[in-house]
Amino acid sequence: MFNRKKAGMMGVIGLSAAIITGVAVSAFAETKAPQGEAMQGQTTQEAPINAAPSHEQLASRIAQQLGLDEKTQSKVSDLFEKDGKAIRNIQEQLQTTQMELSSLSPSSKDYLDKVDDLAEKTGELTEDLTLAYAKNRASLYALLTPKQIEKLETPAQPHS
């Protein structure tokens, strides 16, 4: 069963995953297209509101934001593609585990044992996800100059 240490560790792991996700999302979140740049008669192609940007789109945004050359942009795109697949795989496993957990009935036999097993699996997957995000960020930083890293870490100022 859960003890306080295990519950605390899961809380810390979950919180760090949320923080890392927030940092990653904010780093890649500049999705607003520049206004007034489409010529008359042209349409701009926009992704559905809830669609996650592709690895090419993320790399393009980072390249534009940081002034990356084509070679570095290509490396960033490859990194996002490779790590993105691994991250999505872990997220899918985590979602499946959460759905399994929520489908359990307290009246079923061995309910608490099943909850304990699934909670432990959730903790392990959350840890894997946190490490995958950290590995991706470290690999990205290895491709950047100190000035580009500083620019990436500087919060975007709201457009006035």
Side-chain angles (χ1 to χ4, degrees), residues 3-138:
N3 58 31
R4 287 184 184 183
K5 182 179 177 185
K6 193 181 221 183
M9 284 298 286
M10 284 191 59
V12 168
I13 290 170
L15 181 59
S16 34
I19 291 169
I20 290 171
T21 302
V23 169
V25 168
S26 67
F28 306 123
E30 294 215 7
T31 58
K32 187 175 180 183
Q35 296 178 349
E37 289 191 354
M39 295 213 180
Q40 189 174 5
Q42 285 185 325
T43 60
T44 57
Q45 190 173 13
E46 295 182 24
I49 292 173
N50 291 329
S54 71
H55 60 91
E56 292 102 349
Q57 291 169 325
L58 290 174
S60 176
R61 284 188 207 139
I62 291 289
Q64 186 177 21
Q65 180 184 0
L66 303 178
L68 303 180
D69 59 32
E70 287 185 32
K71 183 179 176 183
T72 305
Q73 181 178 343
S74 177
K75 288 179 182 179
V76 169
S77 180
D78 292 345
L79 174 69
F80 287 166
E81 180 181 24
K82 178 181 64 90
D83 288 354
K85 287 178 184 177
I87 288 169
R88 279 189 300 280
N89 185 353
I90 297 168
Q91 288 171 330
E92 288 169 5
Q93 291 177 46
L94 191 57
Q95 181 180 13
T96 300
T97 304
Q98 290 295 325
M99 288 174 25
E100 192 176 339
L101 185 61
S102 67
S103 72
L104 293 176
S105 171
S107 62
S108 66
K109 183 180 178 187
D110 300 326
Y111 170 72
L112 291 177
D113 290 335
K114 290 177 185 175
V115 168
D116 185 46
D117 291 344
L118 290 171
E120 190 166 327
K121 184 176 180 182
T122 297
E124 291 168 1
L125 289 168
T126 303
E127 181 179 8
D128 292 347
L129 185 60
T130 302
L131 291 171
Y133 277 121
K135 178 181 169 272
N136 176 262
R137 188 171 177 142

